[in-house]
Amino acid sequence: MAPTATFGRDSEEKTKLPADRSGIDGECETPSVSSDGEDRGTWGNHMEFFLSCLGFAVGLGNVWRFPYLCYRNGGGAFLIPYVFFLVFAGIPMFFLELSFGQFAGTGPITIWRVAPLFKGVGFAMVMISFLVCIYYNVIISYILHYLFASFTSVLPWVSCTNDYNTGDCVEGGHVKMAFEIYKCSRIGGDYSNGTCFNATMNATAAMMNETLQNTNFTRVSPTEEYWKHFVLQISDGIDDMGGISWSLTLCNLLGWIVVFFSLVKGVKSSGKVVYFTATFPYIVLFILLIRGLTLEGAMDGIFFYIKPDWSRLSHPKVWMDAAVQIFYSLGAAWGSLITMSSYNRFNNNCYRDALIISVSNCATSVFAGFVIFSVIGFMAHEIGVPVGDVIDQGPGLAFVAYPEAVSLLPISPLWAILFFFMLFTLGLDSQFGMLEAVLSGLIDEFPTILRPNKTWFTLAICVLQFLLALPMVSQGGIYLLTMVDWYSAGVSLMIVAVTECLVLAWLYGCDRFFDNIKMMLGSYPSIWWKICWKVITPVVLLGILLFTMVNHTPVTYGKYEYPDWADSLGWLMAMASVVNIPLFAIIALVQAKGTFMERLRSVTQPTSEWGPALNRDRDLDLSEPELNEKGVPVVDIVPTDEEKVDLSKSMERISTV
């Protein structure tokens, strides 16, 4: 018989099982435990894991970034590089992390027992997720502010009559007239009843248009002024942080309360919440799409979105935009995928999950584009400007362009409530995944201290991040938030991803990793994945990293340019996570024994504790099962010492009879 996999433990007589352990979804599983025997918990069923991963992958970027990238990079033609990088980088990394986490059954720090020299990669993942969680919840507080403000008969961002409005504010329905008045004033005329009168010169329409070719008319919408002057109460720059916005502070506190109670019991509680938070956005997107398609001008917006510009495919930046969007959208290298899959049943089909979730995530991005552009097309038609003049990305889309478009709809408060509640649920799912990576990573690394006090530790992390976010809800907070967003998960995240892929594919080895996958799924994956993990995916990730570094520009917010000290602070923030990789490598080498080469060999090999979390999963036979003459797998069960004694007594009784 072929040897069993003992993962460094003393060999002993063990029960051998057939290699095929594919299992059935929904089958009961005992809670997974760490190697010290403590209860980690597990998903209630497969659907909880699936929805958690889907909710984490499908985030705010699918709604407020992808549609803009698609329009800017050639419309429908952008889908070609998008799908290309999905196949060669996105899905391979997604499958790699799901199978990695599921096999080891532990968090993103402890899992680096696979190669202790690179334990710092796990700490870097946790640090990146920790930093992003701080400002991500502030974005959720913006969403909550707009959500609560939508519970009114008239949306508060539709008029220019508020105390905070400026003289440049022009309401959407009057933009055409405002532009005509502006044009008339530029040539010294008087506008009345739709006509421009000029007492000093008989300016013809042709002369007027020629004169205005070199003029710029800037319309400031009431929605933009509501966002800047009421919600943010924005200051002049990061040097002027100003006072705290108590409305945003309370919204941020509410966001953390929701997050805490959703994660207080780990996956046992968050697994129930995602049934709503992961599915509700799809319901709202479908409702908004149906409503959007009935609006005048909607098809102009959709055509603007999907119209292919094949010439754009010759621009390298288009391909890099697609690669970066795929990478960040699927959420590799944050530690979240490793964490969520670590709570799976050992024989869960993570290969199937990786394919379905990755494709669903990208399909959601495309679908969201139709929703956004149908309403944006209606808005452009209503205010009489091109679609390209009103579309935006990020906060500009979520808090300026789309709210203004919604305000033009009948029963506008209803659509605003649906839209912002959808964004709230999208943000929560991503926040769950990142924060769970932080919590599980640290609890699994320090189980004796933290696991018995998990509730208090979760509360402490939430309170700490709430306090760290207070400067971000000040009048200058948007500048700080933008800086943290710019640097915390850019180059550093790419370095972590490249290191992770190279270590598993080359140092640990694809052959060993394929054996691990076979233990879980019952069969080896296609050689295609080995080619991707060893060659294609690392090359793509290195390309994205180099492109990101070469094309890096200092942080900006709109037209505001940050001082040099802010740029330096941002780089220190980026390096705060990456520095863990060499730091813990040095610590591992110092703690090892022997000559330098002996130490190096020691810390680049799996430890004796590496392997599946459950003891019964560590003893699986890696070989093909033996078959009897009828082709049925032979199960060779070796009795324990107690069973041998019982069998001996039974034989004595039989011989006596």
Side-chain angles (χ1 to χ4, degrees), residues 471-628:
M472 296 184 186
V473 292
S474 65
Q475 291 175 308
I478 188 66
Y479 300 108
L480 180 59
L481 185 149
T482 303
M483 185 184 71
V484 177
D485 178 41
W486 197 282
Y487 289 100
S488 61
V491 172
S492 55
L493 191 68
M494 295 307 309
I495 293 175
V496 169
V498 170
T499 306
E500 177 187 25
C501 189
L502 291 176
V503 169
L504 291 179
W506 289 96
L507 186 61
Y508 182 64
C510 274
D511 290 337
R512 279 198 284 191
F513 198 55
F514 265 42
D515 287 339
N516 299 156
I517 295 175
K518 183 189 175 185
M519 287 179 63
M520 295 186 293
L521 305 184
S523 60
Y524 288 111
S526 167
I527 194 174
W528 161 257
W529 302 107
K530 185 178 293 187
I531 296 172
C532 283
W533 291 334
K534 298 193 72 170
V535 181
I536 300 176
T537 303
V539 169
V540 171
L541 294 177
L542 283 170
I544 300 174
L545 174 60
L546 292 175
F547 178 83
T548 303
M549 297 182 69
V550 169
N551 291 274
H552 172 78
T553 56
V555 57
T556 59
Y557 178 73
K559 296 181 180 179
Y560 174 76
E561 296 183 0
Y562 284 66
D564 292 338
W565 66 263
D567 190 56
S568 301
L569 181 61
W571 276 112
L572 288 175
M573 188 184 309
M575 293 301 104
S577 55
V578 176
V579 74
N580 286 285
I581 299 177
L583 175 62
F584 280 92
I586 294 172
I587 293 174
L589 286 170
V590 170
Q591 291 178 342
K593 297 179 180 180
T595 65
F596 176 77
M597 292 307 299
E598 290 174 341
R599 295 183 182 195
L600 186 61
R601 281 193 295 268
S602 170
V603 296
T604 54
Q605 294 296 319
T607 68
S608 60
E609 296 176 307
W610 163 250
L614 285 171
N615 290 337
R616 60 186 176 82
D617 291 327
R618 296 170 71 93
D619 300 332
L620 299 182
D621 187 2
L622 298 181
S623 65
E624 293 293 338
E626 293 184 7
L627 305 178
N628 60 20

Side-chain angles (χ1 to χ4, degrees), residues 260 439 454-464:
F260 169 72
L439 296 172
K454 182 176 181 179
T455 298
W456 290 107
F457 179 63
T458 303
L459 177 62
I461 291 292
C462 290
V463 171
L464 175 62

Side-chain angles (χ1 to χ4, degrees), residues 52 83 290 326 400 519 568 592:
S52 295
V83 173
I290 298 300
I326 279 290
V400 179
M519 287 179 63
S568 301

Side-chain angles (χ1 to χ4, degrees), residues 65 85 319-329 544 547-548:
R65 178 164 169 79
F85 287 111
W319 291 81
M320 284 299 100
D321 278 350
V324 170
Q325 176 64 15
I326 279 290
F327 179 79
Y328 285 104
S329 178
I544 300 174
F547 178 83
T548 303

Side-chain angles (χ1 to χ4, degrees), residues 186-220:
R186 291 288 298 185
I187 60 170
D190 296 318
Y191 187 86
S192 177
N193 297 325
T195 306
C196 182
F197 298 97
N198 194 311
T200 60
M201 61 179 293
N202 186 19
T204 63
M207 293 172 59
M208 184 184 300
N209 290 334
E210 182 178 357
T211 304
L212 289 169
Q213 285 180 355
N214 297 321
T215 66
N216 292 315
F217 172 74
T218 302
R219 170 194 179 241
V220 180

